[in-house]
Amino acid sequence: MARMEIITGGERRRRWSDEEKYQVLAEADAFGVKISEVARRYDILPQQIRRWRKELLEPKAPVPVTSFVPVSLTDGASTDVLHTARTPKRSATVEIALRNGRVLKVPADLERSSLASLIACVEVA
C-alpha cells in the first residue's frame, strides 16, 4: 500500500470584507501601534494594510466629465470666419546680421524707432 500524506492549512488567498478591512485599519492607526504588529496578528503583510489604507481612506481623484455642446452652421460665411480664427496670421520676419556676429530676427512690420533701439541694445551687449 502506498503512503499518502495530507497537508492541511489555511487558505492563503483570503477574502476580506470592507468591515474587516476598516477594523484592521482602525487597529493599525491607533496611537503607538506598529503596522507590523497588527499585520502579524491578522497573518497578513504590512503592505496589505498600507494598500487598504490607500484604497479605502485616501480620496480618489475626480473623474473628468466629458460634455458636448451642440453646434449649428447657418451659412457659408460663418465657416470662413471659423477657419480664419483657427489659423493665426503669420507675419514675415527679417533677419539682420549685426557687426558683432549676432543675428536678430524681427517682424517685418516692426516700427523703425523700436528696431533702431533694439539693434543698438543687441550690439552693445
Side-chain angles (χ1 to χ4, degrees):
M1 187 183 279
R3 180 177 165 175
M4 187 185 301
E5 187 175 344
I6 299 174
I7 301 174
T8 60
E11 179 186 342
R12 291 310 302 165
R13 181 135 182 120
R14 292 174 283 176
R15 306 285 182 216
W16 297 82
S17 68
D18 284 347
E19 292 175 4
E20 292 171 324
K21 291 177 185 179
Y22 282 119
Q23 179 183 351
V24 172
L25 289 174
E27 288 183 34
D29 289 341
F31 181 75
V33 176
K34 295 182 180 179
I35 291 178
S36 59
E37 293 172 356
V38 177
R40 243 182 267 120
R41 209 173 315 148
Y42 286 95
D43 193 29
I44 57 176
L45 295 173
Q47 293 86 341
Q48 185 67 50
I49 295 175
R50 290 186 185 99
R51 180 179 297 142
W52 288 347
R53 183 181 291 150
K54 186 175 184 178
E55 290 173 358
L56 298 173
L57 301 179
E58 290 183 5
K60 294 176 176 56
V63 177
V65 178
T66 304
S67 61
F68 295 95
V69 178
V71 176
S72 62
L73 299 177
T74 55
D75 61 359
S78 61
T79 58
D80 295 338
V81 171
L82 290 175
H83 181 67
T84 55
R86 272 187 273 150
T87 56
K89 294 180 181 178
R90 296 184 184 195
S91 61
T93 58
V94 177
E95 288 187 19
I96 302 170
L98 303 176
R99 287 180 282 208
N100 59 5
R102 295 185 177 154
V103 177
L104 187 63
K105 295 181 182 180
V106 294
D109 57 351
L110 187 65
E111 294 179 13
R112 284 186 175 206
S113 59
S114 300
L115 180 61
S117 63
L118 185 62
I119 290 173
C121 290
V122 172
E123 282 186 337
V124 171

